[in-house]
Amino acid sequence: GAVVSQHPSRVICKSGTSVKIECRSLDFQATTMFWYRQFPKKSLMLMATSNEGSKATYEQGVEKDKFLINHASLTLSTLTVTSAHPEDSSFYICSARDIGGPSDTQYFGPGTRLTVL
Amino acid sequence: DQQVKQNSPSLSVQEGRISILNCDYTNSMFDYFLWYKKYPAEGPTFLISISSIKDKNEDGRFTVFLNKSAKHLSLHIVPSQPGDSAVYFCAASAHAGGTSYGKLTFGQGTILTVHP
């Protein structure tokens, strides 16, 4: 199946710093990538839709100035958590939509565990 | 507003038997449905999907059934194996265009445990 990577897999930072998470589709092109957040024992919550070459679309309640998304190429999207605070600690997962494959399916990265001290 | 619901938080099955995971949805615009398997601290792994023009899709041990009139889908795993133990999420999307195009709405997940 299609492969999506995320980097880093785990990051610990101090409150007030910014953290960048990369999401790459390794063997397909993705005009659209998605960023999710998962709270403990909860479902995945869609944060934003990242479109190559255009601005991201944020879900209601998600601060676009805090969670900066850049989709610079057909294989790379980045999520930057700006001025991170302890409440931003979570598991962040990206997915990429393979529109060139046999089915219009999202493939997920392995996730990034962010801990803000 | 939970548009996709998995009402069983957990399911326990004996190895070799059938596992049936259920999912209900409320949004009639959904026309594409997927099942994902997830282990703790990992991203979801795609299992199988079905378009609303079908009522069944089979891939090896996994079969997904869709009942559009009841707005219900189910995932059958047979025979179940201990390695199938994980959290299973159903997800739905609408392909009618507009801002919701391609976005997945997830259920809450069902923890499947397959006992040897």
Side-chain angles (χ1 to χ4, degrees), chain A residues 34 36 38 43-44 46 49 59 91 93 97 103-106 108-110, chain B residues 32 34 36 38 41-44 46 49 89 95 101-104 106-108:
Chain A
F34 302 85
Y36 295 82
Q38 185 179 27
S43 185
L44 284 77
L46 179 65
T49 302
E59 295 301 299
F91 192 58
I93 310 173
R97 193 155 63 95
S103 60
D104 188 5
T105 299
Q106 287 184 32
F108 285 80
Chain B
Y32 190 64
L34 310 92
Y36 287 87
K38 187 180 183 301
E42 293 185 10
F46 170 72
S49 63
F89 289 96
H95 284 68
Y101 183 84
K103 284 170 37 175
L104 290 181
F106 281 85
Q108 309 95 309

PDB file of all heavy atoms in Angstrom, chain A residues 34 36 38 43-44 46 49 59 91 93 97 103-106 108-110, chain B residues 32 34 36 38 41-44 46 49 89 95 101-104 106-108:
ATOM      1  N   PHE A  34      -4.143  15.791   5.056  1.00  0.00           N
ATOM      2  CA  PHE A  34      -4.987  16.146   6.183  1.00  0.00           C
ATOM      3  C   PHE A  34      -4.179  16.039   7.471  1.00  0.00           C
ATOM      4  O   PHE A  34      -3.331  15.161   7.612  1.00  0.00           O
ATOM      5  CB  PHE A  34      -6.202  15.214   6.265  1.00  0.00           C
ATOM      6  CG  PHE A  34      -7.063  15.213   5.030  1.00  0.00           C
ATOM      7  CD1 PHE A  34      -6.754  14.385   3.958  1.00  0.00           C
ATOM      8  CD2 PHE A  34      -8.171  16.028   4.937  1.00  0.00           C
ATOM      9  CE1 PHE A  34      -7.537  14.379   2.806  1.00  0.00           C
ATOM     10  CE2 PHE A  34      -8.967  16.031   3.796  1.00  0.00           C
ATOM     11  CZ  PHE A  34      -8.648  15.205   2.735  1.00  0.00           C
ATOM     12  N   TYR A  36      -4.618  15.536  11.603  1.00  0.00           N
ATOM     13  CA  TYR A  36      -5.533  15.122  12.657  1.00  0.00           C
ATOM     14  C   TYR A  36      -4.827  15.224  14.009  1.00  0.00           C
ATOM     15  O   TYR A  36      -3.597  15.204  14.110  1.00  0.00           O
ATOM     16  CB  TYR A  36      -5.966  13.655  12.466  1.00  0.00           C
ATOM     17  CG  TYR A  36      -6.785  13.373  11.243  1.00  0.00           C
ATOM     18  CD1 TYR A  36      -6.183  13.177  10.001  1.00  0.00           C
ATOM     19  CD2 TYR A  36      -8.169  13.265  11.318  1.00  0.00           C
ATOM     20  CE1 TYR A  36      -6.937  12.888   8.877  1.00  0.00           C
ATOM     21  CE2 TYR A  36      -8.933  12.970  10.200  1.00  0.00           C
ATOM     22  CZ  TYR A  36      -8.304  12.790   8.983  1.00  0.00           C
ATOM     23  OH  TYR A  36      -9.052  12.500   7.872  1.00  0.00           O
ATOM     24  N   GLN A  38      -5.273  13.364  17.911  1.00  0.00           N
ATOM     25  CA  GLN A  38      -5.979  12.347  18.673  1.00  0.00           C
ATOM     26  C   GLN A  38      -5.700  12.520  20.151  1.00  0.00           C
ATOM     27  O   GLN A  38      -4.548  12.510  20.590  1.00  0.00           O
ATOM     28  CB  GLN A  38      -5.581  10.933  18.238  1.00  0.00           C
ATOM     29  CG  GLN A  38      -6.406   9.856  18.931  1.00  0.00           C
ATOM     30  CD  GLN A  38      -6.059   8.458  18.525  1.00  0.00           C
ATOM     31  OE1 GLN A  38      -4.937   8.182  18.114  1.00  0.00           O
ATOM     32  NE2 GLN A  38      -7.022   7.551  18.630  1.00  0.00           N
ATOM     33  N   SER A  43     -11.426   9.472  19.334  1.00  0.00           N
ATOM     34  CA  SER A  43     -11.273   9.291  17.901  1.00  0.00           C
ATOM     35  C   SER A  43     -10.349  10.363  17.332  1.00  0.00           C
ATOM     36  O   SER A  43      -9.914  11.269  18.030  1.00  0.00           O
ATOM     37  CB  SER A  43     -12.637   9.359  17.240  1.00  0.00           C
ATOM     38  OG  SER A  43     -12.529   9.076  15.870  1.00  0.00           O
ATOM     39  N   LEU A  44     -10.058  10.232  16.065  1.00  0.00           N
ATOM     40  CA  LEU A  44      -9.225  11.223  15.398  1.00  0.00           C
ATOM     41  C   LEU A  44     -10.056  12.464  15.100  1.00  0.00           C
ATOM     42  O   LEU A  44     -11.173  12.369  14.580  1.00  0.00           O
ATOM     43  CB  LEU A  44      -8.675  10.673  14.088  1.00  0.00           C
ATOM     44  CG  LEU A  44      -7.523   9.682  14.182  1.00  0.00           C
ATOM     45  CD1 LEU A  44      -8.020   8.309  14.590  1.00  0.00           C
ATOM     46  CD2 LEU A  44      -6.785   9.607  12.876  1.00  0.00           C
ATOM     47  N   LEU A  46     -10.205  15.844  12.937  1.00  0.00           N
ATOM     48  CA  LEU A  46      -9.614  16.556  11.807  1.00  0.00           C
ATOM     49  C   LEU A  46      -9.362  17.998  12.199  1.00  0.00           C
ATOM     50  O   LEU A  46     -10.258  18.693  12.684  1.00  0.00           O
ATOM     51  CB  LEU A  46     -10.546  16.488  10.601  1.00  0.00           C
ATOM     52  CG  LEU A  46     -10.066  17.221   9.355  1.00  0.00           C
ATOM     53  CD1 LEU A  46      -8.796  16.575   8.799  1.00  0.00           C
ATOM     54  CD2 LEU A  46     -11.162  17.234   8.289  1.00  0.00           C
ATOM     55  N   THR A  49      -7.360  20.726   6.390  1.00  0.00           N
ATOM     56  CA  THR A  49      -7.083  20.112   5.092  1.00  0.00           C
ATOM     57  C   THR A  49      -6.021  20.950   4.403  1.00  0.00           C
ATOM     58  O   THR A  49      -6.177  22.172   4.261  1.00  0.00           O
ATOM     59  CB  THR A  49      -8.354  20.071   4.232  1.00  0.00           C
ATOM     60  OG1 THR A  49      -9.360  19.335   4.938  1.00  0.00           O
ATOM     61  CG2 THR A  49      -8.080  19.405   2.903  1.00  0.00           C
ATOM     62  N   GLU A  59     -10.686  23.397  10.312  1.00  0.00           N
ATOM     63  CA  GLU A  59     -11.965  23.022  10.900  1.00  0.00           C
ATOM     64  C   GLU A  59     -12.356  24.047  11.968  1.00  0.00           C
ATOM     65  O   GLU A  59     -11.507  24.774  12.521  1.00  0.00           O
ATOM     66  CB  GLU A  59     -11.893  21.634  11.513  1.00  0.00           C
ATOM     67  CG  GLU A  59     -11.658  20.537  10.486  1.00  0.00           C
ATOM     68  CD  GLU A  59     -12.743  20.476   9.435  1.00  0.00           C
ATOM     69  OE1 GLU A  59     -13.916  20.245   9.806  1.00  0.00           O
ATOM     70  OE2 GLU A  59     -12.424  20.667   8.247  1.00  0.00           O
ATOM     71  N   PHE A  91      -1.206  13.635  20.194  1.00  0.00           N
ATOM     72  CA  PHE A  91      -0.702  12.781  19.124  1.00  0.00           C
ATOM     73  C   PHE A  91      -1.225  13.357  17.813  1.00  0.00           C
ATOM     74  O   PHE A  91      -2.436  13.421  17.602  1.00  0.00           O
ATOM     75  CB  PHE A  91      -1.208  11.347  19.354  1.00  0.00           C
ATOM     76  CG  PHE A  91      -0.547  10.304  18.498  1.00  0.00           C
ATOM     77  CD1 PHE A  91       0.817  10.118  18.538  1.00  0.00           C
ATOM     78  CD2 PHE A  91      -1.305   9.497  17.658  1.00  0.00           C
ATOM     79  CE1 PHE A  91       1.436   9.152  17.749  1.00  0.00           C
ATOM     80  CE2 PHE A  91      -0.697   8.523  16.877  1.00  0.00           C
ATOM     81  CZ  PHE A  91       0.661   8.350  16.915  1.00  0.00           C
ATOM     82  N   ILE A  93      -1.440  13.287  13.727  1.00  0.00           N
ATOM     83  CA  ILE A  93      -1.336  12.327  12.623  1.00  0.00           C
ATOM     84  C   ILE A  93      -1.696  13.021  11.313  1.00  0.00           C
ATOM     85  O   ILE A  93      -2.676  13.768  11.263  1.00  0.00           O
ATOM     86  CB  ILE A  93      -2.296  11.130  12.820  1.00  0.00           C
ATOM     87  CG1 ILE A  93      -2.147  10.526  14.207  1.00  0.00           C
ATOM     88  CG2 ILE A  93      -2.051  10.059  11.761  1.00  0.00           C
ATOM     89  CD1 ILE A  93      -3.177   9.449  14.510  1.00  0.00           C
ATOM     90  N   ARG A  97      -4.122  11.814   0.577  1.00  0.00           N
ATOM     91  CA  ARG A  97      -5.144  11.195  -0.271  1.00  0.00           C
ATOM     92  C   ARG A  97      -4.527  10.835  -1.610  1.00  0.00           C
ATOM     93  O   ARG A  97      -4.030  11.706  -2.316  1.00  0.00           O
ATOM     94  CB  ARG A  97      -6.318  12.150  -0.453  1.00  0.00           C
ATOM     95  CG  ARG A  97      -7.554  11.531  -1.047  1.00  0.00           C
ATOM     96  CD  ARG A  97      -8.772  12.310  -0.644  1.00  0.00           C
ATOM     97  NE  ARG A  97      -8.743  13.673  -1.156  1.00  0.00           N
ATOM     98  CZ  ARG A  97      -9.329  14.057  -2.277  1.00  0.00           C
ATOM     99  NH1 ARG A  97      -9.953  13.181  -3.023  1.00  0.00           N
ATOM    100  NH2 ARG A  97      -9.287  15.305  -2.667  1.00  0.00           N
ATOM    101  N   SER A 103      -8.479   3.508  -5.512  1.00  0.00           N
ATOM    102  CA  SER A 103      -9.578   4.013  -4.708  1.00  0.00           C
ATOM    103  C   SER A 103      -9.153   5.320  -4.056  1.00  0.00           C
ATOM    104  O   SER A 103      -7.974   5.545  -3.818  1.00  0.00           O
ATOM    105  CB  SER A 103      -9.972   2.995  -3.635  1.00  0.00           C
ATOM    106  OG  SER A 103      -8.870   2.731  -2.783  1.00  0.00           O
ATOM    107  N   ASP A 104     -10.094   6.149  -3.833  1.00  0.00           N
ATOM    108  CA  ASP A 104      -9.819   7.457  -3.262  1.00  0.00           C
ATOM    109  C   ASP A 104      -9.711   7.313  -1.762  1.00  0.00           C
ATOM    110  O   ASP A 104     -10.673   7.517  -1.036  1.00  0.00           O
ATOM    111  CB  ASP A 104     -10.956   8.409  -3.654  1.00  0.00           C
ATOM    112  CG  ASP A 104     -10.634   9.836  -3.247  1.00  0.00           C
ATOM    113  OD1 ASP A 104      -9.525  10.084  -2.773  1.00  0.00           O
ATOM    114  OD2 ASP A 104     -11.519  10.690  -3.423  1.00  0.00           O
ATOM    115  N   THR A 105      -8.545   6.919  -1.320  1.00  0.00           N
ATOM    116  CA  THR A 105      -8.352   6.529   0.072  1.00  0.00           C
ATOM    117  C   THR A 105      -7.279   7.376   0.714  1.00  0.00           C
ATOM    118  O   THR A 105      -6.324   7.776   0.072  1.00  0.00           O
ATOM    119  CB  THR A 105      -7.939   5.042   0.118  1.00  0.00           C
ATOM    120  OG1 THR A 105      -8.980   4.255  -0.451  1.00  0.00           O
ATOM    121  CG2 THR A 105      -7.653   4.573   1.536  1.00  0.00           C
ATOM    122  N   GLN A 106      -7.455   7.642   1.987  1.00  0.00           N
ATOM    123  CA  GLN A 106      -6.431   8.352   2.743  1.00  0.00           C
ATOM    124  C   GLN A 106      -5.507   7.343   3.406  1.00  0.00           C
ATOM    125  O   GLN A 106      -5.960   6.382   4.024  1.00  0.00           O
ATOM    126  CB  GLN A 106      -7.064   9.240   3.818  1.00  0.00           C
ATOM    127  CG  GLN A 106      -7.735  10.479   3.280  1.00  0.00           C
ATOM    128  CD  GLN A 106      -8.261  11.368   4.382  1.00  0.00           C
ATOM    129  OE1 GLN A 106      -7.688  11.443   5.473  1.00  0.00           O
ATOM    130  NE2 GLN A 106      -9.353  12.069   4.103  1.00  0.00           N
ATOM    131  N   PHE A 108      -2.384   7.011   6.183  1.00  0.00           N
ATOM    132  CA  PHE A 108      -1.946   7.769   7.341  1.00  0.00           C
ATOM    133  C   PHE A 108      -0.465   7.581   7.632  1.00  0.00           C
ATOM    134  O   PHE A 108       0.103   6.519   7.397  1.00  0.00           O
ATOM    135  CB  PHE A 108      -2.764   7.349   8.568  1.00  0.00           C
ATOM    136  CG  PHE A 108      -4.158   7.885   8.562  1.00  0.00           C
ATOM    137  CD1 PHE A 108      -5.147   7.284   7.807  1.00  0.00           C
ATOM    138  CD2 PHE A 108      -4.473   9.017   9.297  1.00  0.00           C
ATOM    139  CE1 PHE A 108      -6.440   7.792   7.778  1.00  0.00           C
ATOM    140  CE2 PHE A 108      -5.764   9.535   9.285  1.00  0.00           C
ATOM    141  CZ  PHE A 108      -6.746   8.917   8.521  1.00  0.00           C
ATOM    142  N   GLY A 109       0.118   8.630   8.181  1.00  0.00           N
ATOM    143  CA  GLY A 109       1.457   8.529   8.695  1.00  0.00           C
ATOM    144  C   GLY A 109       1.436   7.850  10.055  1.00  0.00           C
ATOM    145  O   GLY A 109       0.377   7.590  10.619  1.00  0.00           O
ATOM    146  N   PRO A 110       2.615   7.579  10.606  1.00  0.00           N
ATOM    147  CA  PRO A 110       2.702   6.869  11.883  1.00  0.00           C
ATOM    148  C   PRO A 110       2.392   7.748  13.090  1.00  0.00           C
ATOM    149  O   PRO A 110       2.276   7.246  14.206  1.00  0.00           O
ATOM    150  CB  PRO A 110       4.142   6.378  11.915  1.00  0.00           C
ATOM    151  CG  PRO A 110       4.880   7.354  11.071  1.00  0.00           C
ATOM    152  CD  PRO A 110       3.938   7.782   9.991  1.00  0.00           C
TER     153      PRO A 110
ATOM    154  N   TYR B  32     -18.805   7.150   0.547  1.00  0.00           N
ATOM    155  CA  TYR B  32     -17.601   6.320   0.515  1.00  0.00           C
ATOM    156  C   TYR B  32     -17.231   6.020   1.949  1.00  0.00           C
ATOM    157  O   TYR B  32     -17.190   6.921   2.787  1.00  0.00           O
ATOM    158  CB  TYR B  32     -16.467   7.077  -0.204  1.00  0.00           C
ATOM    159  CG  TYR B  32     -15.256   6.249  -0.514  1.00  0.00           C
ATOM    160  CD1 TYR B  32     -15.327   5.176  -1.402  1.00  0.00           C
ATOM    161  CD2 TYR B  32     -14.019   6.543   0.049  1.00  0.00           C
ATOM    162  CE1 TYR B  32     -14.196   4.420  -1.693  1.00  0.00           C
ATOM    163  CE2 TYR B  32     -12.900   5.794  -0.243  1.00  0.00           C
ATOM    164  CZ  TYR B  32     -12.989   4.741  -1.106  1.00  0.00           C
ATOM    165  OH  TYR B  32     -11.877   3.988  -1.399  1.00  0.00           O
ATOM    166  N   LEU B  34     -14.806   3.634   4.790  1.00  0.00           N
ATOM    167  CA  LEU B  34     -13.534   2.948   4.955  1.00  0.00           C
ATOM    168  C   LEU B  34     -13.431   2.367   6.364  1.00  0.00           C
ATOM    169  O   LEU B  34     -14.046   2.867   7.301  1.00  0.00           O
ATOM    170  CB  LEU B  34     -12.363   3.926   4.743  1.00  0.00           C
ATOM    171  CG  LEU B  34     -12.366   4.790   3.487  1.00  0.00           C
ATOM    172  CD1 LEU B  34     -13.044   6.137   3.740  1.00  0.00           C
ATOM    173  CD2 LEU B  34     -10.949   5.030   3.000  1.00  0.00           C
ATOM    174  N   TYR B  36     -10.382   1.330   9.147  1.00  0.00           N
ATOM    175  CA  TYR B  36      -8.975   1.434   9.479  1.00  0.00           C
ATOM    176  C   TYR B  36      -8.717   0.648  10.757  1.00  0.00           C
ATOM    177  O   TYR B  36      -9.570   0.551  11.645  1.00  0.00           O
ATOM    178  CB  TYR B  36      -8.560   2.892   9.711  1.00  0.00           C
ATOM    179  CG  TYR B  36      -8.473   3.733   8.465  1.00  0.00           C
ATOM    180  CD1 TYR B  36      -9.587   4.398   7.965  1.00  0.00           C
ATOM    181  CD2 TYR B  36      -7.264   3.879   7.795  1.00  0.00           C
ATOM    182  CE1 TYR B  36      -9.502   5.176   6.816  1.00  0.00           C
ATOM    183  CE2 TYR B  36      -7.165   4.665   6.650  1.00  0.00           C
ATOM    184  CZ  TYR B  36      -8.282   5.307   6.171  1.00  0.00           C
ATOM    185  OH  TYR B  36      -8.187   6.080   5.034  1.00  0.00           O
ATOM    186  N   LYS B  38      -5.965   0.385  13.997  1.00  0.00           N
ATOM    187  CA  LYS B  38      -4.978   1.244  14.641  1.00  0.00           C
ATOM    188  C   LYS B  38      -4.435   0.614  15.912  1.00  0.00           C
ATOM    189  O   LYS B  38      -5.186   0.135  16.751  1.00  0.00           O
ATOM    190  CB  LYS B  38      -5.604   2.611  14.961  1.00  0.00           C
ATOM    191  CG  LYS B  38      -4.606   3.631  15.492  1.00  0.00           C
ATOM    192  CD  LYS B  38      -5.269   4.950  15.800  1.00  0.00           C
ATOM    193  CE  LYS B  38      -4.231   5.984  16.257  1.00  0.00           C
ATOM    194  NZ  LYS B  38      -3.505   5.565  17.455  1.00  0.00           N
ATOM    195  N   ALA B  41      -0.310   4.574  19.645  1.00  0.00           N
ATOM    196  CA  ALA B  41       0.850   5.382  19.252  1.00  0.00           C
ATOM    197  C   ALA B  41       1.286   5.135  17.807  1.00  0.00           C
ATOM    198  O   ALA B  41       2.447   5.334  17.457  1.00  0.00           O
ATOM    199  CB  ALA B  41       2.021   5.150  20.201  1.00  0.00           C
ATOM    200  N   GLU B  42       0.369   4.684  16.978  1.00  0.00           N
ATOM    201  CA  GLU B  42       0.655   4.543  15.553  1.00  0.00           C
ATOM    202  C   GLU B  42      -0.476   5.173  14.752  1.00  0.00           C
ATOM    203  O   GLU B  42      -1.574   5.382  15.265  1.00  0.00           O
ATOM    204  CB  GLU B  42       0.780   3.064  15.160  1.00  0.00           C
ATOM    205  CG  GLU B  42       1.978   2.365  15.743  1.00  0.00           C
ATOM    206  CD  GLU B  42       2.103   0.940  15.218  1.00  0.00           C
ATOM    207  OE1 GLU B  42       1.379   0.569  14.270  1.00  0.00           O
ATOM    208  OE2 GLU B  42       2.937   0.188  15.764  1.00  0.00           O
ATOM    209  N   GLY B  43      -0.197   5.470  13.484  1.00  0.00           N
ATOM    210  CA  GLY B  43      -1.245   5.967  12.624  1.00  0.00           C
ATOM    211  C   GLY B  43      -2.156   4.841  12.172  1.00  0.00           C
ATOM    212  O   GLY B  43      -1.777   3.675  12.187  1.00  0.00           O
ATOM    213  N   PRO B  44      -3.381   5.150  11.779  1.00  0.00           N
ATOM    214  CA  PRO B  44      -4.304   4.116  11.299  1.00  0.00           C
ATOM    215  C   PRO B  44      -3.797   3.464  10.018  1.00  0.00           C
ATOM    216  O   PRO B  44      -3.176   4.112   9.179  1.00  0.00           O
ATOM    217  CB  PRO B  44      -5.595   4.895  11.033  1.00  0.00           C
ATOM    218  CG  PRO B  44      -5.473   6.158  11.814  1.00  0.00           C
ATOM    219  CD  PRO B  44      -4.017   6.473  11.817  1.00  0.00           C
ATOM    220  N   PHE B  46      -5.021   1.468   6.630  1.00  0.00           N
ATOM    221  CA  PHE B  46      -6.192   1.229   5.799  1.00  0.00           C
ATOM    222  C   PHE B  46      -6.429  -0.271   5.633  1.00  0.00           C
ATOM    223  O   PHE B  46      -5.504  -1.042   5.360  1.00  0.00           O
ATOM    224  CB  PHE B  46      -6.010   1.881   4.427  1.00  0.00           C
ATOM    225  CG  PHE B  46      -7.052   1.492   3.415  1.00  0.00           C
ATOM    226  CD1 PHE B  46      -8.340   1.960   3.530  1.00  0.00           C
ATOM    227  CD2 PHE B  46      -6.724   0.662   2.357  1.00  0.00           C
ATOM    228  CE1 PHE B  46      -9.302   1.606   2.603  1.00  0.00           C
ATOM    229  CE2 PHE B  46      -7.677   0.304   1.418  1.00  0.00           C
ATOM    230  CZ  PHE B  46      -8.970   0.772   1.539  1.00  0.00           C
ATOM    231  N   SER B  49     -12.393  -0.626   1.877  1.00  0.00           N
ATOM    232  CA  SER B  49     -13.348   0.459   1.675  1.00  0.00           C
ATOM    233  C   SER B  49     -14.502  -0.034   0.815  1.00  0.00           C
ATOM    234  O   SER B  49     -14.445  -1.120   0.214  1.00  0.00           O
ATOM    235  CB  SER B  49     -12.656   1.639   0.987  1.00  0.00           C
ATOM    236  OG  SER B  49     -12.192   1.272  -0.300  1.00  0.00           O
ATOM    237  N   PHE B  89     -11.496   1.615  13.401  1.00  0.00           N
ATOM    238  CA  PHE B  89     -12.275   2.825  13.153  1.00  0.00           C
ATOM    239  C   PHE B  89     -12.987   2.699  11.812  1.00  0.00           C
ATOM    240  O   PHE B  89     -12.384   2.299  10.818  1.00  0.00           O
ATOM    241  CB  PHE B  89     -11.372   4.056  13.086  1.00  0.00           C
ATOM    242  CG  PHE B  89     -10.795   4.481  14.400  1.00  0.00           C
ATOM    243  CD1 PHE B  89      -9.525   4.068  14.780  1.00  0.00           C
ATOM    244  CD2 PHE B  89     -11.505   5.294  15.264  1.00  0.00           C
ATOM    245  CE1 PHE B  89      -8.973   4.464  15.990  1.00  0.00           C
ATOM    246  CE2 PHE B  89     -10.965   5.700  16.472  1.00  0.00           C
ATOM    247  CZ  PHE B  89      -9.700   5.278  16.841  1.00  0.00           C
ATOM    248  N   HIS B  95     -18.338  12.617  -1.622  1.00  0.00           N
ATOM    249  CA  HIS B  95     -17.637  12.992  -2.850  1.00  0.00           C
ATOM    250  C   HIS B  95     -18.474  13.887  -3.736  1.00  0.00           C
ATOM    251  O   HIS B  95     -18.285  13.973  -4.913  1.00  0.00           O
ATOM    252  CB  HIS B  95     -17.260  11.736  -3.635  1.00  0.00           C
ATOM    253  CG  HIS B  95     -16.097  11.043  -3.045  1.00  0.00           C
ATOM    254  ND1 HIS B  95     -16.160  10.410  -1.821  1.00  0.00           N
ATOM    255  CD2 HIS B  95     -14.832  10.896  -3.471  1.00  0.00           C
ATOM    256  CE1 HIS B  95     -14.978   9.886  -1.550  1.00  0.00           C
ATOM    257  NE2 HIS B  95     -14.152  10.168  -2.510  1.00  0.00           N
ATOM    258  N   TYR B 101     -15.438  17.797   0.468  1.00  0.00           N
ATOM    259  CA  TYR B 101     -14.931  16.776  -0.437  1.00  0.00           C
ATOM    260  C   TYR B 101     -13.701  16.090   0.120  1.00  0.00           C
ATOM    261  O   TYR B 101     -12.704  16.714   0.418  1.00  0.00           O
ATOM    262  CB  TYR B 101     -14.603  17.421  -1.789  1.00  0.00           C
ATOM    263  CG  TYR B 101     -14.146  16.429  -2.816  1.00  0.00           C
ATOM    264  CD1 TYR B 101     -15.061  15.711  -3.561  1.00  0.00           C
ATOM    265  CD2 TYR B 101     -12.799  16.205  -3.055  1.00  0.00           C
ATOM    266  CE1 TYR B 101     -14.652  14.802  -4.514  1.00  0.00           C
ATOM    267  CE2 TYR B 101     -12.379  15.300  -4.007  1.00  0.00           C
ATOM    268  CZ  TYR B 101     -13.308  14.607  -4.736  1.00  0.00           C
ATOM    269  OH  TYR B 101     -12.896  13.707  -5.673  1.00  0.00           O
ATOM    270  N   GLY B 102     -13.799  14.770   0.231  1.00  0.00           N
ATOM    271  CA  GLY B 102     -12.649  13.984   0.620  1.00  0.00           C
ATOM    272  C   GLY B 102     -12.367  13.952   2.103  1.00  0.00           C
ATOM    273  O   GLY B 102     -11.564  13.142   2.557  1.00  0.00           O
ATOM    274  N   LYS B 103     -12.980  14.778   2.909  1.00  0.00           N
ATOM    275  CA  LYS B 103     -12.732  14.759   4.344  1.00  0.00           C
ATOM    276  C   LYS B 103     -13.333  13.509   4.941  1.00  0.00           C
ATOM    277  O   LYS B 103     -14.434  13.101   4.591  1.00  0.00           O
ATOM    278  CB  LYS B 103     -13.374  15.976   5.012  1.00  0.00           C
ATOM    279  CG  LYS B 103     -12.615  17.251   4.788  1.00  0.00           C
ATOM    280  CD  LYS B 103     -13.376  18.488   5.245  1.00  0.00           C
ATOM    281  CE  LYS B 103     -14.186  18.327   6.479  1.00  0.00           C
ATOM    282  NZ  LYS B 103     -14.802  19.592   6.919  1.00  0.00           N
ATOM    283  N   LEU B 104     -12.588  12.904   5.851  1.00  0.00           N
ATOM    284  CA  LEU B 104     -13.077  11.720   6.527  1.00  0.00           C
ATOM    285  C   LEU B 104     -13.670  12.088   7.880  1.00  0.00           C
ATOM    286  O   LEU B 104     -13.096  12.872   8.614  1.00  0.00           O
ATOM    287  CB  LEU B 104     -11.948  10.713   6.742  1.00  0.00           C
ATOM    288  CG  LEU B 104     -11.398  10.001   5.511  1.00  0.00           C
ATOM    289  CD1 LEU B 104     -10.293   9.027   5.915  1.00  0.00           C
ATOM    290  CD2 LEU B 104     -12.494   9.262   4.770  1.00  0.00           C
ATOM    291  N   PHE B 106     -14.660  10.198  11.302  1.00  0.00           N
ATOM    292  CA  PHE B 106     -14.373   8.932  11.962  1.00  0.00           C
ATOM    293  C   PHE B 106     -15.384   8.606  13.051  1.00  0.00           C
ATOM    294  O   PHE B 106     -15.928   9.499  13.714  1.00  0.00           O
ATOM    295  CB  PHE B 106     -12.983   8.976  12.603  1.00  0.00           C
ATOM    296  CG  PHE B 106     -11.861   8.774  11.632  1.00  0.00           C
ATOM    297  CD1 PHE B 106     -11.353   9.846  10.914  1.00  0.00           C
ATOM    298  CD2 PHE B 106     -11.317   7.517  11.421  1.00  0.00           C
ATOM    299  CE1 PHE B 106     -10.312   9.661   9.993  1.00  0.00           C
ATOM    300  CE2 PHE B 106     -10.281   7.332  10.522  1.00  0.00           C
ATOM    301  CZ  PHE B 106      -9.783   8.406   9.807  1.00  0.00           C
ATOM    302  N   GLY B 107     -15.614   7.322  13.246  1.00  0.00           N
ATOM    303  CA  GLY B 107     -16.327   6.854  14.414  1.00  0.00           C
ATOM    304  C   GLY B 107     -15.388   6.856  15.610  1.00  0.00           C
ATOM    305  O   GLY B 107     -14.201   7.178  15.502  1.00  0.00           O
ATOM    306  N   GLN B 108     -15.928   6.464  16.754  1.00  0.00           N
ATOM    307  CA  GLN B 108     -15.155   6.529  18.000  1.00  0.00           C
ATOM    308  C   GLN B 108     -14.180   5.369  18.155  1.00  0.00           C
ATOM    309  O   GLN B 108     -13.307   5.398  19.011  1.00  0.00           O
ATOM    310  CB  GLN B 108     -16.085   6.541  19.217  1.00  0.00           C
ATOM    311  CG  GLN B 108     -17.188   7.573  19.152  1.00  0.00           C
ATOM    312  CD  GLN B 108     -18.470   6.979  18.611  1.00  0.00           C
ATOM    313  OE1 GLN B 108     -18.480   6.330  17.561  1.00  0.00           O
ATOM    314  NE2 GLN B 108     -19.561   7.184  19.310  1.00  0.00           N
TER     315      GLN B 108
END
